Amino acid sequence: MCKKQQLRVPDNEEELRQLQDDFYKTAREGFMKNELVGFKNLKEIAFCKANIITAIHKLKANKGSRTPGVDDEVMRENILEQDYEEVITRVMKTVDNYISKPIRRAYIPKTGSNDMRPLGIQCLIDKIVQECIRNVIEPILEAQFFDHSYGFRPLRDAHQAYERVKKILHGTGYHWVLEGDITQFFDNVNHNVLTGALYHMGIKDRRILQMIKAMLRAGIMNEIYYNDIGTPQGGILSPLLANVYLNKFDNFIVREWEEKKLKNVSRYNKSGKRKGQKSGVIQQTLKRAAPNMKPAYLIRYADDWVIVTNTLNNAKKLKSRIHNFLKTHLKLELSDKKTRITNVKKKAINFLGFLIRARAGKSKSGLIIHGKPDKEKLVRKVLKLKKNIHDFKKSANIENLIHKINLYNCRVRGILNYYKVASHIYLGVRKIAYELSGLVFKVLRSCKAPVKWIPADETRNLTEIHKIRKQLIPAIKYKDFWIGVTNLNFVKWELVSLKNPKETIYTAEGRELYRRRTGKQRRLNRKDLTLSIKYSEIISHSKKNSKSIYNFEFFMNRGYVYNVDKGRCRVCGNVIEDNTDIEAHHINLTLPIDKINRVQNLATVHSHCHNMIHSSKDFSNAIPEKMRKKVLSFRSKLREQKL
């Protein structure tokens, strides 16, 4: 039975967020009850004004927004600096009889081989359309995904997948692992199978499904006009669609073990315990109830996956069954060459850049699990670091050299932040760290910079990292302090928490769990001020200037500035309750068009307070002293700009 949902188009970002929460809740409840829930009228929601602005705001922070497609358009020049109403109208018109433009092909080196990985670079307008669709369908799909699928999902990461593998190996004592590899997965996604999966998961708006098909079928510039199979890597929707496609695979594995329904289940309660039993877990119950079952614990990150099981024979049977399932139901091929069966007590498995191995120990299961960085991948990263070090020689001056050192330090910290969850991280980087520090000192000395070996805690940069380190590192003197080049050895193992399935961005409880775990605050919703803007007056005023500063970016960021200022006027400090009285003051009017409307250059003010800033009248006796100082401060900045 399929229940249909009556949907209301949101008027602002707050209503959009609430609608996403409702989508997730409805889809989750239906999924748990094994009832299909259908969502229609999704196109109207996907391309409402609030969602278009939200999509553009998210994309503008993405580096890919600066990479042009076949039409040579980029985010800043072709969207943010354009007229507000024209941008909204353009997006809305694009989706009428939607035809996706061809993608531009780019190639990047493939990890672990000499082959090149193809990336599809889409046109800017197609990226916006895809982001609009993703915002609407993701909560519906996210509610139904497998708990131990971690790739390209909100609030999930590779560290949690890595920790889940360790937890299963340690907790069960099983040491046979099937390391899976699907031959050219992204290039072999069947469009009909994919849209069928979307429909089955509740995306019942056929217009959205047809748009997704149009995106998938988009040709490749100078190669093919029509693409009848595969999904482009690098597309906004591609990661989400990959999870939809492989969701059938997830369900196939988990229903055979982790979610197996037993015929004789009446003897057991919902917790997995026998009635009257004081202790026990679901896997122990399954073993007693069905001793011939084959344990299979799946952990998947996009198209990288492993399955932990108890015997070599079971691993072989699983491999055969998976091969047949992928070929029959998903039109995919399991790579015989790259799909391996490994005994982790004798050899490490390679998963997401980590080598994971088991050894005998005194744990309850008899196994102790440890991990370390994959040496080959780490070496490739180190080669890039060496290029960065040699690039120090090209510095034009000491300030430019410091800038390059800071970039190098960021890359080192990025590597360590990824591998710090490996229990043997220190052993993996110790030798390499010594080699890199020696090279850094040698290169800096050739730059004729004032270089010296300095205790890390005496340097001025990366203070949170360096303040607890006494080890000597290469550093250059700038003015009266030292700038250090950080060490690859400055890392401490960090325990990763297992993923709590309740932690999601689509419920209030899930967001609170995330905040407690990470300490990060939830992003504020953009207050919708577009209806309160005296649009015609602003446009009329801006046309007096040779170049309007009141572009799309201004109208979009105006709402975010209101949130940053907590709804208070920067002049008088009072809350602005009437939307028609809210204005945004440009602090520095001399900035170029690509910077003038950024959040840091705007201030929320009352209309009358804004008038005082730009007026030449003396309000000294009419307003409080604190307010007068604020007005004079804003005025002084404007006068400095005129001078």
Side-chain angles (χ1 to χ4, degrees):
M1 181 179 177
C2 181
K3 297 181 180 180
K4 301 289 177 63
Q5 299 296 306
Q6 296 297 322
L7 307 176
R8 179 180 177 274
V9 176
D11 290 329
N12 52 58
E13 193 175 57
E14 186 173 352
E15 289 184 9
L16 176 64
R17 173 63 65 86
Q18 184 58 55
L19 188 61
Q20 289 176 318
D21 288 1
D22 292 343
F23 280 179
Y24 181 89
K25 181 181 178 181
T26 303
R28 187 67 182 173
E29 288 175 350
F31 176 73
M32 297 304 290
K33 295 177 183 177
N34 202 26
E35 295 177 354
L36 291 176
V37 181
F39 296 84
K40 287 195 170 185
N41 303 323
L42 294 176
K43 186 176 180 182
E44 285 75 18
I45 297 168
F47 300 104
C48 69
K49 187 178 291 187
N51 195 37
I52 292 172
I53 295 172
T54 301
I56 292 173
H57 190 268
K58 182 173 182 179
L59 287 174
K60 75 182 181 70
N62 192 321
K63 289 183 179 180
S65 67
R66 300 194 291 268
T67 305
V70 297
D71 59 358
D72 291 327
E73 288 192 339
V74 292
M75 179 62 76
R76 177 148 297 283
E77 289 84 352
N78 299 104
I79 297 293
L80 299 181
E81 295 176 12
Q82 299 303 310
D83 178 80
Y84 174 83
E85 290 290 348
E86 288 178 3
V87 171
I88 298 294
T89 303
R90 180 188 174 190
V91 176
M92 290 181 171
K93 284 184 176 180
T94 298
V95 299
D96 293 334
N97 301 316
Y98 178 71
I99 299 175
S100 184
K101 294 182 180 179
I103 64 173
R104 183 164 67 85
R105 183 73 89 190
Y107 293 89
I108 61 172
K110 201 170 186 178
T111 303
S113 71
N114 295 323
D115 298 333
M116 302 296 283
R117 185 188 301 278
L119 291 181
I121 301 174
Q122 294 156 323
C123 294
L124 177 60
I125 195 69
D126 288 328
K127 291 178 183 177
I128 295 171
V129 169
Q130 289 197 27
E131 182 62 26
C132 287
I133 293 175
R134 190 201 62 79
N135 277 346
V136 172
I137 68 173
E138 184 178 67
I140 300 169
L141 303 170
E142 183 67 24
Q144 304 170 70
F145 285 150
F146 173 46
D147 282 346
H148 301 298
S149 157
Y150 297 91
F152 306 113
R153 293 178 60 187
L155 309 189
R156 292 171 179 258
D157 56 40
H159 289 169
Q160 293 168 335
Y162 162 77
E163 194 63 27
R164 171 69 178 175
V165 174
K166 288 178 58 185
K167 177 70 175 179
I168 293 299
L169 291 170
H170 175 75
T172 63
Y174 299 154
H175 54 271
W176 289 99
V177 179
L178 177 62
E179 301 176 72
D181 186 272
I182 299 172
T183 303
Q184 295 181 318
F185 167 70
F186 284 95
D187 293 335
N188 289 292
V189 169
N190 184 285
H191 297 170
N192 291 329
V193 172
L194 176 56
T195 51
L198 286 165
Y199 188 83
H200 181 73
M201 294 180 74
I203 312 302
K204 303 294 186 184
D205 191 329
R206 294 184 182 274
R207 298 168 299 172
I208 291 290
L209 294 176
Q210 288 301 319
M211 291 181 69
I212 292 173
K213 260 195 173 181
M215 296 167 189
L216 295 172
R217 289 173 175 170
I220 302 169
M221 185 177 66
N222 300 328
E223 291 186 32
I224 58 174
Y225 175 74
Y226 178 86
N227 187 25
D228 60 355
I229 191 170
T231 177
Q233 295 187 59
I236 301 296
L237 267 176
S238 292
L240 178 60
L241 297 180
N243 279 325
V244 171
Y245 202 82
L246 290 175
N247 193 54
K248 280 188 175 182
F249 167 67
D250 297 341
N251 292 335
F252 167 70
I253 298 298
V254 299
R255 70 170 174 253
E256 292 297 309
W257 177 251
E258 292 185 68
E259 297 176 9
K260 180 72 173 178
K261 294 182 179 179
L262 302 176
K263 292 181 180 179
N264 198 18
V265 77
S266 60
R267 291 181 296 159
Y268 305 93
N269 60 28
K270 291 182 179 179
S271 67
K273 301 175 186 176
R274 187 187 295 270
K275 291 181 179 179
Q277 189 180 20
K278 293 183 179 180
S279 64
V281 294
I282 186 66
Q283 286 74 26
Q284 293 171 336
T285 300
L286 288 169
K287 288 178 188 177
R288 289 193 297 270
N292 294 325
M293 288 178 60
K294 300 172 181 61
Y297 294 92
L298 170 66
I299 302 95
R300 183 172 65 81
Y301 189 94
D303 59 330
D304 291 328
W305 52 270
V306 296
I307 296 177
V308 179
T309 190
N310 59 344
T311 67
L312 173 61
N313 189 45
N314 283 346
K316 289 179 178 178
K317 288 179 179 179
L318 279 167
K319 180 180 178 181
S320 177
R321 292 188 64 194
I322 290 169
H323 179 274
N324 293 333
F325 178 85
L326 292 176
K327 190 171 185 178
T328 304
H329 296 276
L330 297 179
K331 316 298 182 187
L332 297 172
E333 290 288 339
L334 191 66
S335 172
D336 288 329
K337 183 180 179 181
K338 295 183 180 179
T339 300
R340 297 182 290 270
I341 297 174
T342 305
N343 180 346
V344 291
K345 291 201 294 186
K346 296 182 178 180
K347 185 180 178 182
I349 61 168
N350 192 330
F351 186 55
L352 303 177
F354 295 95
L355 296 178
I356 306 171
R357 189 168 180 176
R359 61 178 176 82
K362 294 182 180 180
S363 67
K364 190 174 181 180
S365 67
L367 293 181
I368 301 296
I369 314 302
H370 61 77
K372 63 180 180 180
D374 173 17
K375 189 175 181 179
E376 289 184 8
K377 288 189 176 181
L378 188 59
V379 165
R380 283 194 292 271
K381 293 179 183 294
V382 168
L383 288 175
K384 292 181 180 179
L385 290 178
K386 288 181 177 180
K387 289 182 181 179
N388 298 144
I389 294 170
H390 286 292
D391 194 45
F392 292 170
K393 300 175 184 177
K394 301 176 184 178
S395 303
N397 49 50
I398 188 70
E399 287 78 12
N400 184 236
L401 176 59
I402 291 172
H403 174 67
K404 290 182 178 180
I405 288 173
N406 289 335
L407 289 178
Y408 172 84
N409 286 345
C410 286
R411 293 184 180 107
V412 170
R413 295 311 307 169
I415 293 171
L416 295 179
N417 283 337
Y418 185 78
Y419 286 118
K420 65 185 178 183
V421 300
S423 53
H424 287 49
I425 173 64
Y426 180 74
L427 295 177
V429 300
R430 182 172 55 186
K431 185 177 179 181
I432 298 173
Y434 178 79
E435 179 186 351
L436 284 177
S437 286
L439 179 61
V440 166
F441 185 82
K442 182 179 178 181
V443 170
L444 288 178
R445 193 166 55 181
S446 70
C447 295
K448 297 182 179 179
V451 59
K452 188 177 179 182
W453 291 96
I454 295 289
D457 62 350
E458 294 181 16
T459 59
R460 185 69 63 89
N461 58 327
L462 283 180
T463 52
E464 287 300 312
I465 306 298
H466 290 170
K467 68 181 180 181
I468 58 172
R469 304 283 181 173
K470 298 288 185 182
Q471 185 175 333
L472 298 178
I473 59 173
I476 61 170
K477 192 169 186 179
Y478 180 69
K479 296 181 178 178
D480 59 345
F481 54 86
W482 293 89
I483 302 294
V485 183
T486 199
N487 195 301
L488 195 65
N489 221 8
F490 290 173
V491 61
K492 184 180 179 182
W493 173 72
E494 186 173 297
L495 178 65
V496 181
S497 300
L498 289 170
K499 175 64 183 179
N500 182 347
K502 291 183 179 180
E503 184 185 279
T504 171
I505 60 172
Y506 296 119
T507 68
E509 180 190 12
R511 291 188 287 269
E512 178 61 19
L513 287 171
Y514 176 72
R515 187 193 67 78
R516 290 178 186 174
R517 180 171 67 86
T518 63
K520 294 180 180 179
Q521 294 294 329
R522 175 189 171 190
R523 178 180 62 82
L524 291 169
N525 288 328
R526 175 190 56 84
K527 185 174 178 63
D528 187 10
L529 303 176
T530 54
L531 297 178
S532 65
I533 293 173
K534 300 169 185 175
Y535 189 78
S536 58
E537 292 182 18
I538 289 179
I539 297 304
S540 174
H541 169 73
S542 66
K543 285 182 178 178
K544 296 176 184 178
N545 303 320
S546 59
K547 194 169 186 179
S548 172
I549 62 172
Y550 300 100
N551 52 30
F552 182 89
E553 186 175 28
F554 169 76
F555 288 100
M556 178 178 66
N557 282 348
R558 195 170 176 263
Y560 289 108
V561 172
Y562 180 89
N563 286 335
V564 170
D565 293 333
K566 298 181 180 179
R568 295 181 179 274
C569 173
R570 288 261 203 107
V571 173
C572 65
N574 295 326
V575 174
I576 313 177
E577 297 180 353
D578 184 359
N579 278 9
T580 61
D581 198 26
I582 302 172
E583 293 189 4
H585 169 66
H586 287 91
I587 299 171
N588 187 345
L589 283 168
T590 63
L591 292 175
I593 193 65
D594 63 327
K595 294 181 180 178
I596 197 167
N597 288 313
R598 298 193 179 184
V599 171
Q600 58 266 35
N601 193 50
L602 297 176
T604 304
V605 290
H606 284 102
S607 298
H608 62 276
C609 292
H610 201 190
N611 290 334
M612 280 193 286
I613 293 173
H614 289 280
S615 173
S616 58
K617 294 181 181 179
D618 184 6
F619 295 97
S620 300
N621 299 323
I623 58 177
E625 177 66 16
K626 188 175 181 180
M627 186 173 169
R628 186 181 72 84
K629 288 182 178 179
K630 289 281 187 180
V631 171
L632 293 177
S633 174
F634 280 122
R635 281 185 182 179
S636 65
K637 291 173 183 176
L638 292 175
R639 282 198 298 269
E640 289 172 5
Q641 295 160 33
K642 289 178 181 178
L643 294 175

